[in-house]
Amino acid sequence: LGETGSVSIDPNPIDACVIVARPNRTGVPIMFEGDLFVPAIPNLPRGTLKFLVKSRLFSVLISDAGTVEILQAEDILIQEHPPERWASHARLMLALALGKLEIEIRPRARPNRIEFKIERIGQKLDHRAWKGWLAVCESVSDLFRLAAVPRDASLRIEDIEEEAAAVREAHALVTGRVKRISFKTGLVKIGIFNPVRAAFVTYAKAGGVKIACSAVVDFRLDDIGDSTMWTSVSITRGRARVLGGSPTDFGAFAEDAKAVVGTEIWLVHRSTDEVPAK
């Protein structure tokens, strides 16, 4: 997730501040709390003055010569934050990687604000990697919102990375972004009702938070030799719910999803260990 580094600061910060970053003047602001540090030595020669803006996740070192350096916090890998905070950090880093960012430093106790544009930074950032990481963080954040996970639920980076693919699949299902679902089973007696409606259920987790998701799917069934091909003809966005600690929670969610849809068929794409996928 970029370079890490350290900056030694002897004096105390001169002020607390709010860091407001935008990809352009009218862009949605990305905001972080931080501290502002300046050298205690007066009348430094031009080109040698530097000041530091330090937040929990990163630091920005700015010189009066116009150079900017971004350092990730040394302990960033073990920090815990809500998914939306990680998404904000990823938005900031993506904007930096693309070379388009306006930053405003708002000191808490001092009247003067510091504003500057960043078009070039001292290190190279991979914008594709940050774009992908942002997509993952946004999926986790929105899935938490849809499942009514408490807003202060916090995760480490590895918690998000560990099951990123499953989280993105679950988020796509519950938000109606899955275009097609198809699979084969043993031969099924199709009967006169074709397509058939099913409750399609899956599961994802991030850290200690487990979320069940469902959608309503209409399938067309086609016999192919000794098997049946199921192909979705419509997928309706569904719902998400946090699972508790009971081993029966996922099964109860699946049964409830089937009852809501009004069908006898429920298909499990991915489940907890207590409920076999079927």
Side-chain angles (χ1 to χ4, degrees):
L1 292 180
E3 299 180 9
T4 61
S6 61
V7 178
S8 297
I9 300 294
D10 292 327
N12 292 322
I14 64 166
D15 202 352
C17 64
V18 177
I19 307 163
V20 183
R22 294 182 177 87
N24 53 61
R25 179 65 63 176
T26 59
V28 176
I30 309 164
M31 303 179 72
F32 296 89
E33 298 286 336
D35 292 309
L36 178 61
F37 298 83
V38 297
I41 304 172
N43 303 318
L44 286 171
R46 182 173 177 78
T48 63
L49 175 63
K50 295 183 179 181
F51 65 92
L52 178 73
V53 182
K54 188 175 183 180
S55 79
R56 184 75 181 85
L57 285 165
F58 63 91
S59 299
V60 184
L61 187 62
I62 306 158
S63 77
D64 62 353
T67 60
V68 177
E69 187 174 1
I70 304 293
L71 298 174
Q72 308 292 355
E74 287 186 305
D75 64 345
I76 192 170
L77 294 178
I78 61 172
Q79 288 188 34
E80 295 186 354
H81 298 281
E84 183 52 35
R85 179 83 324 197
W86 288 117
S88 293
H89 176 254
R91 291 184 194 105
L92 173 73
M93 298 307 298
L94 176 59
L96 285 168
L98 294 172
K100 298 178 181 179
L101 192 66
E102 297 185 5
I103 290 183
E104 178 186 347
I105 309 299
R106 300 176 182 175
R108 293 288 191 185
R110 298 166 184 266
N112 296 330
R113 297 183 178 184
I114 304 168
E115 297 184 18
F116 56 93
K117 292 183 179 180
I118 297 179
E119 297 180 350
R120 178 175 55 85
I121 60 175
Q123 67 266 54
K124 184 175 178 60
L125 299 173
D126 186 344
H127 72 275
R128 289 168 295 186
W130 282 108
K131 185 177 181 180
W133 176 240
L134 173 59
V136 171
C137 292
E138 288 181 333
S139 292
V140 177
S141 178
D142 196 42
L143 189 60
F144 272 37
R145 179 186 63 82
L146 293 168
V149 177
R151 297 187 66 178
D152 60 352
S154 295
L155 304 170
R156 294 174 298 173
I157 287 173
E158 70 174 349
D159 294 332
I160 298 174
E161 288 180 328
E162 188 176 17
E163 299 208 20
V167 168
R168 294 194 71 178
E169 286 179 355
H171 180 252
L173 181 70
V174 81
T175 56
R177 297 177 185 175
V178 175
K179 294 182 178 180
R180 185 171 179 265
I181 299 172
S182 63
F183 56 91
K184 286 183 181 180
T185 65
L187 196 62
V188 174
K189 186 177 180 180
I190 296 176
I192 62 173
F193 299 104
N194 193 10
V196 298
R197 176 160 291 184
F200 194 85
V201 184
T202 192
Y203 153 87
K205 71 173 183 176
V209 180
K210 300 178 180 180
I211 299 175
C213 302
S214 68
V216 181
V217 185
D218 290 324
F219 286 99
R220 185 185 73 247
L221 277 59
D222 297 296
D223 288 343
I224 304 174
D226 59 354
S227 62
T228 297
M229 173 65 74
W230 298 58
T231 305
S232 62
V233 293
S234 71
I235 303 173
T236 304
R237 61 189 300 165
R239 58 200 182 105
R241 189 173 77 197
V242 179
L243 296 176
S246 172
T248 62
D249 279 356
F250 184 78
F253 175 85
E255 288 289 351
D256 184 54
K258 185 176 71 172
V260 169
V261 173
T263 179
E264 292 301 314
I265 303 173
W266 55 286
L267 302 168
V268 179
H269 170 58
R270 188 171 182 270
S271 73
T272 62
D273 294 338
E274 295 84 7
V275 179
K278 62 180 182 178

